[in-house]
Amino acid sequence: MDPHLLRTFVTVARTGSFSAAAAHLGYTQSAISQQIAALETDLGLPLLHRRPVTPTEAGTRLLEHAEPLLLRLRAARADVLRTAALPAHRLTLAASPLALNTRLAHRLARARAAQPRLEVTVRTCSRDEVSGQVAVGEAEIGLADGIAAPSDPLRLPDAGPITTTGVSEEELLVALPADHPLAGRVGLRLADLVDARWLQTTLCPVRRLRDLAGDGFRVALDYTGDDVHTVLNLVAAGHGLTLLPASVLPPSSVSASAVTSAFPASAGRGVPLSAPRLVHRVELLHGALPDGPAARLAADLSG
């Protein structure tokens, strides 16, 4: 299958319009129609319903393969070009919402102090987007965070030849309203919370909890953003529970007057997750880095 035809198919399927795909890709609408027809002829199957423009069953299956294939092709191109890239002092660091924690922010500060000419742009995106941006060369370095067993790697999408290194692990807390009946507990087991109401967030997907502890974990509210202040406000107002790293909110064992967290105690309290043994893990991602500022920054962030 021609990658150019695949890219056109993915764009039409995602935009739901031949004209929108034409505008996005810089072709005429008739050229888009011809490319889709050529792909359908190659496979011998219709891939798109025309009115409205939606994938057929075969088209849906092809979409599942096409996007990872196109990503791998872009990653291969970026990986080859890195071998000839000149050292640059302007770098992009892609980071998922809770990846750049206090410890890593201080490491970044020390790295910049050691390289005064270094200019770093920090770009926040989803965990899966971090690996994709690193793979295709849109970011030289990435930091991805997620929930994992101690020392276990994160489940990141296969985006090509990327080096991953664990750079941070910290305790997970169950985030509760300050007046919640369980807020005074020393620890909580995830299995005991399957019937609780949970927030569905990009920071803590409910499907991940189900993978770890079985069915249950009702979604009380779906929050599609990545702002931790908003998540804490939703928790404090009783919209649902979630899991957050210990550095984000004060533990319930600390009195309100002694809290030194960046967030007030009224924004919610945290009870340590006692079982299963899980941590908030951050991994450093990068492709092949020639000796230079990017390689030194990666080494500094590693520890």
Side-chain angles (χ1 to χ4, degrees):
M1 286 179 288
D2 187 327
H4 296 291
L5 300 184
L6 275 180
R7 184 172 68 120
T8 299
F9 166 68
V10 169
T11 305
V12 173
R14 293 308 181 202
T15 60
S17 165
F18 281 71
S19 58
H24 180 78
L25 295 173
Y27 294 121
T28 63
Q29 186 170 335
S30 63
I32 294 293
S33 297
Q34 291 171 13
Q35 291 177 36
I36 295 299
L39 184 59
E40 291 178 325
T41 299
D42 180 28
L43 293 174
L45 290 167
L47 299 173
L48 293 168
H49 300 293
R50 274 17 184 210
R51 294 183 181 178
V53 178
T54 58
T56 63
E57 183 178 354
T60 299
R61 295 295 295 273
L62 181 59
L63 269 177
E64 295 174 1
H65 297 283
E67 291 182 309
L69 284 171
L70 292 172
L71 177 60
R72 288 300 299 268
L73 286 172
R74 292 171 63 199
R77 176 182 176 84
D79 195 46
V80 171
L81 292 177
R82 284 190 193 100
T83 63
L86 296 175
H89 290 276
R90 293 183 179 179
L91 305 177
T92 296
L93 170 64
S96 51
L98 294 179
L100 197 58
N101 57 31
T102 302
R103 179 185 303 174
L104 291 173
H106 282 294
R107 288 183 189 175
L108 178 60
R110 289 195 296 270
R112 294 181 62 211
Q115 300 186 66
R117 293 180 56 204
L118 183 62
E119 298 179 18
V120 179
T121 297
V122 177
R123 179 187 299 150
T124 302
C125 53
S126 73
R127 186 180 67 178
D128 290 354
E129 288 173 335
V130 170
S131 57
Q133 290 191 19
V134 171
V136 302
E138 293 177 1
E140 287 78 13
I141 295 173
L143 289 171
D145 75 295
I147 297 172
S151 301
D152 276 2
L154 297 177
R155 298 177 182 177
L156 298 173
D158 180 10
I162 295 177
T163 298
T164 61
T165 306
V167 292
S168 175
E169 287 187 358
E170 63 176 307
E171 182 180 37
L172 280 168
L173 303 182
V174 181
L176 308 151
D179 59 354
H180 194 281
L182 300 177
R185 294 284 188 90
V186 175
L188 289 171
R189 299 191 313 160
L190 196 57
D192 294 334
L193 300 170
V194 292
D195 294 326
R197 303 184 336 142
W198 287 80
L199 294 178
Q200 167 66 36
T201 73
T202 56
L203 309 177
C204 178
V206 169
R207 67 177 181 276
R208 179 70 174 125
L209 302 182
R210 292 171 181 155
D211 289 342
L212 294 165
D215 294 335
F217 302 99
R218 283 186 303 135
V219 175
L221 187 145
D222 191 350
Y223 172 60
T224 59
D226 57 19
D227 180 68
V228 70
H229 287 82
T230 300
V231 171
L232 287 171
N233 287 335
L234 291 171
V235 168
H239 290 285
L241 312 183
T242 192
L243 296 180
L244 289 170
S247 58
V248 167
L249 75 169
S252 59
S253 59
V254 178
S255 66
S257 61
V259 167
T260 58
S261 168
F263 303 99
S266 59
R269 305 300 293 275
V271 177
L273 183 67
S274 58
R277 181 76 177 92
L278 299 171
V279 295
H280 177 256
R281 179 177 172 87
V282 180
E283 292 184 357
L284 176 77
L285 288 69
H286 61 81
L289 295 177
D291 186 36
R296 291 195 292 275
L297 177 58
D300 290 339
L301 289 173
S302 296

